[in-house]
Amino acid sequence: MKKKLALKVIGLIFGLVFLVILGVAAYWINDIRTTANNMYTPLENREGSSPLREKAVAEGEPLSILLAGVDHTPGREEDVVGRSDTIVLMTLNPAEGTTKMLSIPRDTRTEIVGRGTTEKINHAHAYGDAQMLIDTVENAFDIPIDHYASINMEGFTRLINAFGGVNVYNDLSFSMNGTQFNEGNIHLNGEDALLYSRMRYEDPRGDAGRANRQRDIIEALMDEAASLSSITKAGEILDVLDTTVRTDLSLGDMWSYQSDYRAALNEIEQIEISYTGQTIDSLWYAIVADEEKARVRNEMRSHLELDV
């Protein structure tokens, strides 16, 4: 099975950043603790696992994490707020050595839990932060979400710049907001990488092409994070995380999970949801059929070793 990397948030939150942090822990432990404490934002009625489960997740058992890249709302510089530009539900099964990444279309039409409206799923984060987004995704797909992590897109740009940019191979020449991206090997700073990852209208592959570019950026970031040169950049990286990332994973969870679930990253599969487009009241929505929701639900719950 071909290995695939998820969209921008997975590498940033669960793998990418803490490869660096763990590598320089002896030198940066106090800063790491401070950053982890500032990132830590627990959810209500969740103690390490989803209320959809009959029992809490035990150490080393399959678990799920919702990853969100959100648009930044001006005027709240220290908070991760706004609509979720990217939504990825990740399930990790360390016994199998596999991870599944479910990319949820941000325009999916669904009930917004806690608000009583039917809208695009990415509105949930803007209305009620991570709590409402998690409740909405669980309600829409009946897949338990045990943890979450989110980063605002301003932080995504700053993180890439902290690494000195990334190198990717571009298979489609295009321009975006006045910036030209030529075919071939290119170097991207944070601002250009954000443009590069968001383009879809000039790509005949649409969202699939955009997802490919996002995965390329994450792969390049992970390569940078694994290099020895990243040690000298740890302070700047921690500063970015401190102000732009929020998660219900404590520092203790992160230490434990990087050990318990590292094996799950041996094989990564991305799952996409099929949908049809429909305009309702002048707004375009992604309509996911009940049969498609059932397919996705069964695959993800099976990977979590839950009854389907």
Side-chain angles (χ1 to χ4, degrees):
M1 184 182 299
K2 182 179 180 181
K3 294 184 179 180
K4 290 187 176 180
L5 294 170
L7 304 180
K8 48 191 101 157
V9 187
I10 168 55
L12 297 173
I13 307 302
F14 197 80
L16 163 65
V17 171
F18 286 96
L19 284 175
V20 178
I21 291 177
L22 292 172
V24 297
Y27 304 97
W28 298 93
I29 188 63
N30 289 331
D31 287 343
I32 292 170
R33 286 172 177 161
T34 299
T35 297
N37 288 338
N38 290 339
M39 289 166 51
Y40 182 58
T41 308
L43 300 169
E44 298 178 1
N45 304 319
R46 292 173 186 262
E47 297 181 0
S49 58
S50 167
L52 290 184
R53 292 180 177 270
E54 295 182 357
K55 61 180 181 179
V57 177
E59 182 177 350
E61 289 185 343
L63 60 73
S64 62
I65 303 176
L66 185 71
L67 305 157
V70 300
D71 286 327
H72 183 63
T73 298
R76 293 185 63 186
E77 295 298 328
E78 296 182 355
D79 292 329
V80 178
V81 293
R83 297 179 181 179
S84 43
D85 182 68
T86 300
I87 307 171
V88 176
L89 179 54
M90 175 176 67
T91 57
L92 301 97
N93 189 316
E96 291 184 0
T98 57
T99 292
K100 290 181 182 289
M101 309 281 192
L102 175 66
S103 301
I104 300 174
R106 61 182 180 175
D107 295 326
T108 299
R109 181 175 170 85
T110 191
E111 176 188 353
I112 306 299
V113 175
R115 189 171 176 84
T117 58
T118 299
E119 304 181 40
K120 295 184 178 184
I121 200 168
N122 70 332
H123 292 184
H125 193 279
Y127 293 139
D129 292 332
Q131 183 75 61
M132 187 171 288
L133 177 61
I134 289 170
D135 292 342
T136 297
V137 173
E138 285 190 331
N139 181 68
F141 294 96
D142 193 28
I143 303 168
I145 297 171
D146 302 313
H147 295 289
Y148 85 95
S150 61
I151 184 171
N152 70 44
M153 302 319 297
E154 182 258 348
F156 174 70
T157 298
R158 288 174 58 202
L159 186 62
I160 291 177
N161 284 335
F163 280 106
V166 293
N167 297 309
V168 299
Y169 179 82
N170 181 26
D171 61 2
L172 176 70
S173 179
F174 67 92
S175 63
M176 179 78 169
N177 291 4
T179 300
Q180 177 65 34
F181 299 94
N182 295 320
E183 184 175 351
N185 294 313
I186 57 176
H187 181 81
L188 303 173
N189 62 24
E191 292 74 17
D192 288 344
L194 188 58
L195 290 175
Y196 181 80
S197 68
R198 281 180 163 171
M199 193 283 285
R200 60 173 170 169
Y201 295 113
E202 294 185 34
D203 193 327
R205 299 165 296 181
D207 278 337
R210 179 172 63 173
N212 286 337
R213 285 186 291 278
Q214 292 169 345
R215 288 194 298 271
D216 287 344
I217 290 174
I218 294 304
E219 183 173 9
L221 272 171
M222 293 188 74
D223 289 342
E224 290 290 334
S227 70
L228 291 176
S229 63
S230 297
I231 294 177
T232 62
K233 304 169 184 175
E236 188 174 355
I237 293 169
L238 288 172
D239 180 64
V240 174
L241 294 175
D242 189 285
T243 58
T244 62
V245 173
R246 295 295 177 264
T247 180
D248 67 331
L249 291 167
S250 67
L251 181 58
D253 290 334
M254 294 176 191
W255 292 132
S256 175
Y257 286 1
Q258 65 85 25
S259 175
D260 294 340
Y261 293 91
R262 181 181 298 171
L265 299 177
N266 288 337
E267 187 174 282
I268 303 175
E269 176 188 3
Q270 182 172 335
I271 302 170
E272 295 185 0
I273 295 176
S274 298
Y275 58 86
T276 57
Q278 184 176 348
T279 300
I280 301 175
D281 295 331
S282 301
L283 293 176
W284 189 92
Y285 293 93
I287 306 298
V288 183
D290 290 341
E291 295 80 5
E292 178 67 359
K293 289 181 179 179
R295 179 190 71 82
V296 167
R297 170 189 178 275
N298 291 345
E299 181 168 358
M300 299 298 280
R301 289 179 64 95
S302 176
H303 193 237
L304 289 171
E305 299 181 0
L306 299 174
D307 293 334
V308 297

